Structures are given as structure tokens and as C-alpha cells.
Amino acid sequence: MSKKTRKLSFDTDWKFSPALENTEYIDIKKRYGLFINGKFIPSKGKKFFDTINPANEDKIAEITDANSSDVSLAVQSARSAYEKVWSKMNPSERGKYIFRIARLIQERAREFAVIESLDGGKPIRESKQVDIPLASAHFFYYAGWADKLNYAFPGRSAHSLGVAGQIIPWNFPLLMAAWKIAPALATGNTVVLKPAETTPLTALKLAEIIQEADVPPGVVNIVTGGGATGRAIVKHPDIDKIAFTGSTEVGKYIMDVIAGSGKKYTLELGGKAANIIFEDAAINQAVEGIVDSIFFNQGHVCCAGSRLYVQESIAQEVIRKLKDRMETLVIGNPLDKNTDIGAINSKMQLEKICSYVDLGKSEGGAIHQSSCSLPEKGYWYPPTLFTDVSQSHRVVQEEIFGPVLAVQTFRTVDEVISKANNTPYGLSGGVWTEKGSKLFQVSKEIRAGVIWANSFNKFDPGSPFGGYKESGMGREGGVEGLYSYVGLD
Ligand code: NDP
């Protein structure tokens, strides 16, 4: 990153009057135990790690690093709750508990939004408008399915699987917990969930809600820790299903470990989505869509539109407008309501982004970065785009998971379809055109789980999400999201 961009602190570079979210009422404990069998308990191993605020590197709380005995205890508790209570409960009663969780998230939405932004670095506007409402909506949606499984699987009889081991990443911490827990509970399973090491707080806060909702002890267990804790879940013999969201590398590891074990699994992995702009698109809207597709959540989005394909006849105009728009993006304190782009989630992720950008330059790409200044402390990266890149460049092929866009041009529909499909991934895509027929043709031929038409990054609990190829297996969300938590007779 150039020195020029690393000079100012929060206090000196306000283009807008700061509108900071109040944090005084937020209650975060100094140290968190593991949530097992309905209670926060200490680990047998007595090991801890710090969770920090990536915007200023301040320590927020100490988190327990669960070892394999802790994981076993959590699995035992989930198994016992499954056999004695949850699988025997009337489905409509199960639904009531899930509705209660949804309502409690709504009631405490502001608190959750602030904690999500503190722990993960995302702008408070996004936590408030996207993460927390969608998490609550997911619980509402699956609560509704709990007593209607016969309608989800007409003519078949669905039964629960048992204990689900669920491992989630750091980019949408509460939302990913909701994506995992809600369908599992609605179908009568119990869970052991591990949040990511850098963003454990909202999952632990969710544990408080689970207590408040009087969910029977052991139905939801939350074990914090790093990769080793995740591995202990994956390898545990008494887990019936693994649900994982994260890197393709760890997804492949999980497939290797559980091969032949009979465990069911869903893997939601990486992506390198093509966002395609045709010359007949509404250009100003498309430029907003590009910004949303790659700079939302600092680009830490598996379905981010990190490859932009612009039809040659409009490329100059689109790139000029995009660069102008990048200049207006406000980067800074995630808790400020003016902020468009918050902090990079961790030092490790910042290093990964920097090394990819260096690679892009060394491969001959032309780089453009917004000229914003970045705070001195914390982890930050400016909105960045590469032009003069081709299909073989690594910044075009590999997932960077940061605010870095690779731009290419195309002339024909066939050309752009073949370029869009030239990737090991297949999670999402975007198509911008005024012509409905073109829209249907292109979206049908792109091999990806979700294609957005004249929009990007729109989510709904009723809509299935998931990938092809190295982007994973199975679907989450919608009726399809129920399939991977049931056996069918
Ligand atoms: P990981 O895949 O390593 O992490 C995802 C989750 O898996 C975390 O909870 C992690 O724990 C856990 N985990 C790590 N190793 C194992 C293992 N061997 N067995 C079981 N669980 C494990 O992603 P990273 O956080 O390391 O990010 C690396 C890259 O992955 C990113 O740069 C990005 O490209 C991609 N990624 C993709 C995501 C997506 O949604 N598709 C989400 C996150 C990352 P812990 O956090 O403690 O390491």
C-alpha cells in the first residue's frame, strides 16, 4: 500500500460531521466461557485468546479456546438434548422457540449491530441494515417451516439427523450463525457451532438470547476457538452432519476427513463472481451495482462481484464513472453512520490483500486506488481496481476477499459467457442489461448458484444460496436449505 494513503487518523480527516453510534449501553464481558448445555462454562484447557477491534487494534474481550474435550462435552450435551427433548418435541412447539429467538434478535438489533461492527470492522450502516435484520428474518423464516415439513417434502416423510456440527467464518458472523442454526433447529436437530476466531462475540451474544428464549439446554451449544477446535468438530464421531462456510481449502480438508463416515455435509466456499455490464444497461445504476458488488463489507463477501466484465463500447465511460464514484466512498470508523467502507477484518487478511495487489502489479495490471486517507491504527485498505488484466492473471482467477476489482472488457455475448465461466468457482454472478431475453440467456448459461439481474448482493431467507464447482455443495436458505438437515423416507 502506498505511504500516501496511510497518514491521517479518525480525528483529522472528517469530510462529514462524525455521527458515531453510541456504545455506552453495550454490555460485553471481559472474558467469555463456552456455551454448553445452556450455560457459560470454563474450558477444561483454560486457554484463551483476545478478540480485538480491527479498526483500532484494541482488545475487546478474552475468548475461550476450546479443546477437543470441550468439543466432546458440547457434542454430548447436543446428543442428550436431541434424544431426550428436541427430537421428541411437537414441531409446532419447536417453531415457537425459534420465533422467540427471531423476536429477541429484533429487540436487541441495535446492540447486536454495534457489537458486529466493533468485532468485525464492518460499517454500522451495513450491520444495522443487512446483517442483523437478515439474521432475524432467517429465524422467522425457518420457524415457519418447523411444523410444515410435510409440505416441504410432499409425499415423503422427513426425519431429523441428530447433531449438526457447524463452522462459520468472520465475514457475516451473526448472519452465518442464523443460516446454520435456524434450519437445523426447525428440522429437529441440535447443534454445536463454532464461530470464527476473529469474530466470536455476536455468536456468544446469541447464546444469551438462546438462554433468554428458554431453549432447552443442549439444543444449541457454542464453542469458540481456532482451526483446531473446528477440526475437533469435523472429526467427532458422534456428529451426524457438518455445515461449513469458509475457504475452499478448508472445505476440501473437511471432505477428505469425513469421506466414508456417512456424515451429511454442506459446504459454502469461495467465489470469484463475474459482474457483466452490457452496453444497453442503465449505466449509472450499473456503476452503483459495481460498487455494491465489490466494496460491500470491504469485499469480504464470498459472492462478491470481483471480476467486472464491461462491453467494450461503454468501457471507458463505465470505468471513468466508477473511478469518480470510488472517490466519494467514505472510509473510516465502522461505528460512524457516514462510513461506506470499514476496517479489514484482521491483520492476516490485510496481508493477504496486500500480497495479491503486489502480485497484480507484478503481473502487469494497471492499478487505480481511491485517493482517500486511511487511519493510522487498525487494518485498512482503499477501494482498488485493476485494468489491463487478462483471464490468466491470478488477481482474475483467485479469491482475494478484499476491496479489489479486476476489470476486463468483452465484445459479444458468447465471449463474456465463456470468460465468466472460466473459473474454478461458481457461486454467483450479476448481469446488467435492459433486454430481458439477453438476461435470461446469459444467466442460464453462467454456471453459478445465484445470478442477480440488474442488481447485486440481494439476499432473502426464502431464496436458496450455494455454489457449483469449487464454490461448494448443497444449498442454504429457502426450502432447499431444509434438505441437508433431514433424511427422507
Ligand atoms: P477458513 O476457511 O480458514 O475459516 C472458516 C472457519 O473454519 C473458521 O471458523 C475457522 O476457524 C475454521 N477452520 C479453519 N481451519 C479449519 C479446519 N482445518 N477444520 C475445521 N475448521 C477450520 O477461512 P479464513 O478465515 O482463514 O480465511 C481464509 C480465506 O478464506 C479468505 O481470505 C477468503 O478468501 C476465504 N474465505 C471465504 C469465506 C466464504 O464465505 N466463502 C469466508 C471466510 C474466508 P478460525 O477462524 O478460528 O481459523
Side-chain angles (χ1 to χ4, degrees), residues 167-171 176 194-198 225-232 234 244-251 253-254 268-271 301-303 348-349 352 399-401 427:
I167 300 167
I168 57 171
W170 41 262
N171 51 346
M176 288 302 106
K194 187 196 95 62
E197 201 172 346
T198 59
T229 312
R231 283 194 290 280
V234 172
F244 171 79
T245 298
S247 61
T248 296
E249 190 190 345
V250 175
Y253 161 84
I254 291 174
E268 202 270 273
L269 309 175
V301 184
C302 47
C303 51
M348 208 173 83
Q349 191 59 28
K352 178 174 171 184
E399 184 178 52
I400 302 174
F401 226 60
L427 192 57

Side-chain angles (χ1 to χ4, degrees), residues 152-462:
F153 310 107
R156 318 249 344 234
S157 161
H159 59 85
S160 51
L161 299 172
V163 177
Q166 308 184 316
I167 300 167
I168 57 171
W170 41 262
N171 51 346
F172 294 93
L174 183 71
L175 183 57
M176 288 302 106
W179 278 30
K180 300 279 179 282
I181 296 173
L185 298 194
T187 44
N189 301 282
T190 57
V191 309
V192 175
L193 175 124
K194 187 196 95 62
E197 201 172 346
T198 59
T199 54
L201 284 180
T202 45
L204 292 163
K205 282 288 183 187
L206 181 62
E208 292 177 5
I209 281 187
I210 305 274
Q211 281 180 324
E212 213 179 323
D214 268 336
V215 175
V219 170
V220 176
N221 302 274
I222 294 177
V223 288
T224 45
T229 312
R231 283 194 290 280
I233 293 177
V234 172
K235 288 181 178 162
H236 201 289
D238 201 27
I239 283 183
D240 303 286
K241 187 233 152 76
I242 296 289
F244 171 79
T245 298
S247 61
T248 296
E249 190 190 345
V250 175
K252 287 179 178 171
Y253 161 84
I254 291 174
M255 280 189 81
D256 270 358
V257 172
I258 64 175
S261 70
K263 283 183 180 136
K264 266 199 151 191
Y265 60 91
T266 33
L267 304 173
E268 202 270 273
L269 309 175
K272 193 76 187 175
N275 195 11
I276 301 168
I277 321 290
F278 284 99
E279 60 192 358
D280 55 21
I283 289 186
N284 291 341
Q285 280 95 320
V287 169
E288 283 310 304
I290 298 165
V291 167
D292 191 37
S293 78
I294 185 64
F295 301 129
F296 170 59
N297 200 27
Q298 296 71 250
H300 301 327
V301 184
C302 47
C303 51
S306 47
R307 291 182 296 151
L308 176 66
Y309 292 98
V310 191
Q311 200 152 16
E312 205 172 85
S313 51
I314 54 160
Q316 273 190 350
E317 183 185 357
V318 169
I319 292 167
R320 177 177 52 78
K321 288 188 165 172
L322 179 58
K323 287 179 177 173
D324 288 348
R325 183 67 179 92
M326 283 163 67
E327 279 305 303
T328 68
L329 293 173
V330 178
I331 303 183
N333 190 345
L335 289 181
D336 190 318
K337 290 161 210 153
N338 295 307
T339 295
D340 296 309
I341 299 192
I344 297 301
N345 182 267
S346 65
K347 186 162 182 268
M348 208 173 83
Q349 191 59 28
L350 178 60
E351 284 166 2
K352 178 174 171 184
I353 295 167
C354 292
S355 77
Y356 264 111
V357 169
D358 288 346
L359 187 71
K361 286 194 274 193
S362 71
E363 283 181 318
I367 186 171
H368 172 85
Q369 294 186 311
S370 120
S371 66
C372 58
S373 51
L374 301 180
E376 293 282 355
K377 268 187 101 185
Y379 313 129
W380 305 93
Y381 206 83
T384 299
L385 65 82
F386 275 106
T387 47
D388 295 347
V389 285
S390 65
Q391 290 293 94
S392 59
H393 281 76
R394 283 182 61 192
V395 288
V396 173
Q397 283 297 322
E398 294 174 25
E399 184 178 52
I400 302 174
F401 226 60
V404 181
L405 179 66
V407 186
Q408 292 177 265
T409 58
F410 67 93
R411 288 184 182 167
T412 66
V413 171
D414 288 346
E415 179 192 353
V416 78
I417 289 171
S418 109
K419 281 181 165 168
N421 283 331
N422 179 15
T423 163
Y425 295 112
L427 192 57
S428 63
V431 184
W432 297 79
T433 168
E434 300 245 296
K435 301 260 183 307
S437 55
K438 200 188 284 173
L439 223 156
F440 282 115
Q441 182 197 354
V442 176
S443 29
K444 217 173 65 196
E445 291 188 36
I446 291 178
R447 194 121 178 96
V450 181
I451 308 280
W452 286 288
N454 294 322
S455 64
F456 213 97
N457 278 338
K458 302 282 177 235
F459 303 98
D460 186 280

